[in-house]
Amino acid sequence: MVTAAGTYRAMVGSQEIDLPLIPITEDLAIALLITVDHGVRFVERAGIELAQQLAPYQIDLVVSVATMGIPLAIEVTRALELDDYLILQKTPKLHLRDAITEPVKSITTGGHQRLLFDAARVDVVRGKRVALVDDVISTGASMRAALNLLDRVGAEPVVIGTLLTEAATWRRELGDTAALVHALGAIPVFRRDDSGLYVEDWDGGGEPDGLGIAPATTAGTTEGSTAAPNAAP
């Protein structure tokens, strides 16, 4: 629900959190989850709850995307009693001069980026059953790029885990792969109505949903949102 303070109250598994509404364009805003702003215990508990959904897939390795996915990757790896994880980077580093790259566009930065896979780690993932995790799946662009990279190095992504899915644009981007997604909650995007108030848009395609109708259920997803009253921006 949208609160009087202009935040969005969502459930991430068993945990309730308030997320700030951040304008992306004049008419579009998102509820922004920054995992490190919610403390160590929040990420630890969320990692345990997400790992419980991923455990049946007999995972060999957890993979995530820098930087917001790193705390979650650590906690999911720990909860699965694994000892290694792999992070796909977004910024050039000295040891990534020979990196395998994949283009991606970020909704939060608004710019074009590249995912970078350390070529020295190919043998770590080749032939392994991988769980790909991230804090939020929004447009699905980062997840699609990560899946492309993993396919190119011979890994086998068997499940995708996230704290929150955002609207439904990611479903169209991922196609059949969307069936692999397990989430602890779901949030809409927000568009201004004719009166200037933010209303929930669960589709993400541009038509505001002032009634707050819940999105279609993703396999393994716990829907964490209810109908939200209008709130002034």
Side-chain angles (χ1 to χ4, degrees):
M1 60 176 286
V2 178
T3 70
T7 61
Y8 187 77
R9 185 159 297 159
M11 295 298 297
V12 178
S14 64
Q15 302 180 90
E16 183 179 83
I17 57 174
D18 286 343
L19 305 175
L21 296 185
I22 306 298
I24 300 297
T25 67
E26 183 177 344
D27 297 317
L28 173 67
I30 62 172
L32 185 63
L33 172 63
I34 304 293
T35 53
V36 295
D37 288 347
H38 295 274
V40 173
R41 290 184 180 86
F42 167 79
V43 183
E44 178 184 19
R45 186 170 173 181
I48 291 171
E49 293 179 359
L50 187 57
Q52 290 171 348
Q53 293 193 24
L54 307 184
Y57 291 86
Q58 299 179 331
I59 296 157
D60 299 317
L61 185 73
V62 174
V63 176
S64 191
V65 177
T67 56
M68 296 304 173
I70 295 176
L72 180 61
I74 292 172
E75 295 302 338
V76 170
T77 300
R78 195 195 315 273
L80 291 173
E81 298 183 346
L82 300 173
D83 190 45
D84 195 10
Y85 61 93
L86 188 143
I87 301 298
L88 305 178
Q89 302 291 337
K90 288 185 176 179
T91 55
K93 302 181 187 302
L94 289 176
H95 70 288
L96 295 176
R97 290 174 178 170
D98 298 323
I100 303 164
T101 67
E102 185 75 21
V104 61
K105 183 174 181 179
S106 170
I107 188 176
T108 50
T109 66
H112 291 274
Q113 301 175 318
R114 291 183 304 158
L115 288 188
L116 303 153
F117 186 102
D118 186 356
R121 297 272 277 166
V122 169
D123 288 342
V124 174
V125 300
R126 183 182 289 125
K128 297 297 179 63
R129 295 174 62 85
V130 167
L132 183 57
V133 304
D134 208 353
D135 57 343
V136 178
I137 300 178
S138 52
T139 66
S142 292
M143 197 59 61
R144 168 51 60 198
L147 289 166
N148 290 345
L149 265 181
L150 291 172
D151 180 65
R152 289 168 59 191
V153 298
E156 183 186 358
V158 294
V159 67
I160 298 170
T162 186
L163 300 184
L164 292 170
T165 57
E166 181 182 82
T169 303
W170 61 274
R171 291 181 182 274
R172 296 185 282 273
E173 176 69 28
L174 294 182
D176 292 343
T177 314
L180 299 180
V181 173
H182 290 248
L184 295 184
I187 55 176
V189 295
F190 302 85
R191 299 185 187 273
R192 294 192 191 276
D193 63 11
D194 292 340
S195 65
L197 300 179
Y198 279 130
V199 294
E200 297 178 10
D201 176 5
W202 284 99
D203 178 71
E207 293 298 328
D209 178 10
L211 297 178
I213 298 173
T217 302
T218 298
T221 299
T222 302
E223 300 298 354
S225 305
T226 58
N230 291 341

